[in-house]
Amino acid sequence: MINRRKFLTQAGLASAGMVLAPNLLSAKTPNGVGLQLYSLRDQLPKDVKGVIAKVAKAGYSEVETFGYSAQNGFWGLKAKEFSALLKANGLKTPSGHYGLDEFFGTGKMDIFNSYIDAALATGQTYIVIPSLDHNFIKTASDFNKIADKMNKAAAICKSHGLKLGYHNHNFEWEKVEGTTFYDTILAKTDPSLVSMEMDIYWVVRAGHDPVKIFQQHPGRFAMVHVKDMDKGNHELNTEIGSGTIDFKTILGKAKLAGIKHFIVEQENYTNIDPYKSLAQSSAYMKNSLHI
């Protein structure tokens, strides 16, 4: 049994650790900092190999993919070739954005199956829905139908050893018949099957508090998009730590939220080279947020 002196000594050390690095205790992840490759959508088609090398050099250890198709693969590379490229640069890919509109609309599995194959070939864990056709979610009844279909898609993913994720914008909070699509997803989808990828920028832009959402739905958010809001124009992004969003407070609740992957995304750049911008964001994530 631990004696009182030893307990107080250990408690003191723990308290000191919290004073020195409160965010480190709650947000540190062995996965490092990730990048949503959409941030370099203009550069990737021209030189996918060069871009991936620069991403690694900018301080990232993970990437989240987008834009895969069975015809063109990942910017001209087959899934296994792209996986080899990532490994050659010391990168992993835990997740990818894959549109499931065909599955939601018709139930056909052709494209969905190609996404499953790509995810498995690259070692991804999550097939993330980046958005969806707004015609699918016009009414509260529509919200429930899509939530049911998300559960079905998630069950299919599970049968392949994968998980389903959902990435938000801000339209999910538009009130329809007294509810919202986001509230419906959280209420109606199976937490053991459907993981949320919170885009913090879009939550803030929609007028909501990410921390409050974490508190209401602990453990639901396996991933976050860390994207800052420009101080002068809230419709623009800026480097992490240079904008208006209080990431220290928000990501200080990472353990409560269940976050495993912290993924930087920047959709636009103002008078700065994209790679310098992304390197600045990566450095802030590591040095100031202790990711």
Side-chain angles (χ1 to χ4, degrees):
M1 180 180 292
I2 188 170
N3 62 44
R4 186 171 183 273
R5 177 177 293 180
K6 189 173 183 181
F7 170 80
L8 290 173
T9 300
Q10 292 178 347
L13 288 171
S15 297
M18 291 181 70
V19 171
L20 290 171
N23 290 306
L24 178 65
L25 294 179
S26 56
K28 190 69 173 178
T29 170
N31 299 315
V33 181
L35 177 70
Q36 166 52 256
L37 290 176
Y38 187 76
S39 306
L40 295 168
R41 61 195 176 279
D42 294 332
Q43 292 79 11
L44 277 161
K46 302 171 186 175
D47 181 16
V48 60
K49 294 182 179 179
V51 169
I52 293 302
K54 290 179 180 179
V55 167
K57 189 175 180 181
Y60 293 89
S61 55
E62 296 187 327
V63 297
E64 182 174 62
T65 62
F66 78 98
Y68 176 83
S69 72
Q71 294 74 28
N72 298 316
F74 292 105
W75 305 285
L77 296 179
K78 294 179 180 178
K80 288 185 178 179
E81 294 172 334
F82 184 69
S83 180
L85 174 64
L86 293 180
K87 290 175 183 176
N89 286 278
L91 296 169
K92 296 181 180 179
T93 176
S95 56
H97 279 195
Y98 299 99
L100 294 183
D101 281 352
E102 181 190 61
F103 176 78
F104 289 146
T106 67
K108 290 183 178 180
M109 285 294 301
D110 295 358
I111 295 177
F112 193 178
N113 281 330
S114 75
Y115 294 159
I116 290 170
D117 290 342
L120 293 174
T122 53
Q124 292 175 337
T125 300
Y126 301 93
I127 287 181
V128 180
I129 303 165
S131 188
L132 74 169
D133 188 333
H134 290 206
N135 290 319
F136 293 159
I137 50 170
K138 291 182 177 181
T139 68
S141 177
D142 291 340
F143 296 171
N144 287 317
K145 289 176 182 176
I146 290 296
D148 288 340
K149 290 181 179 180
M150 285 177 66
N151 281 326
K152 291 177 182 177
I156 293 168
C157 286
K158 183 180 180 180
S159 71
H160 293 277
L162 300 168
K163 296 180 181 180
L164 188 74
Y166 183 83
H167 164 271
N168 67 276
H169 288 83
N170 59 345
F171 65 84
E172 289 89 351
W173 282 274
E174 294 177 7
K175 282 279 187 179
V176 176
E177 300 171 37
T179 189
T180 70
F181 182 52
Y182 204 72
D183 287 337
T184 302
I185 294 173
L186 285 167
K188 301 292 184 178
T189 59
D190 186 339
S192 69
L193 295 177
V194 179
S195 300
M196 304 300 285
E197 178 177 66
M198 179 187 283
D199 190 310
I200 295 171
Y201 167 86
W202 283 112
V203 171
V204 173
R205 187 164 160 181
H208 294 276
D209 180 359
V211 171
K212 186 176 180 180
I213 297 173
F214 292 159
Q215 291 169 339
Q216 292 171 337
H217 305 279
R220 284 299 304 266
F221 303 88
M223 300 160 283
V224 285
H225 273 192
V226 186
K227 177 166 43 178
D228 215 340
M229 181 180 285
D230 185 81
K231 292 179 179 178
N233 183 349
H234 290 182
E235 294 184 4
L236 297 178
N237 302 155
T238 190
E239 291 68 46
I240 310 302
S242 300
T244 65
I245 297 179
D246 182 5
F247 286 110
K248 289 185 178 180
T249 296
I250 296 168
L251 297 185
K253 299 296 184 181
K255 187 175 181 180
L256 171 70
I259 302 168
K260 298 179 178 67
H261 301 279
F262 300 80
I263 304 167
V264 170
E265 183 181 35
Q266 188 157 338
E267 296 186 29
N268 41 68
Y269 306 89
T270 305
N271 301 319
I272 186 172
D273 175 79
Y275 297 106
K276 290 182 179 179
S277 171
L278 295 174
Q280 181 178 324
S281 290
S282 172
Y284 184 84
M285 293 278 286
K286 294 175 182 178
N287 299 328
S288 296
L289 300 180
H290 307 291
I291 302 301

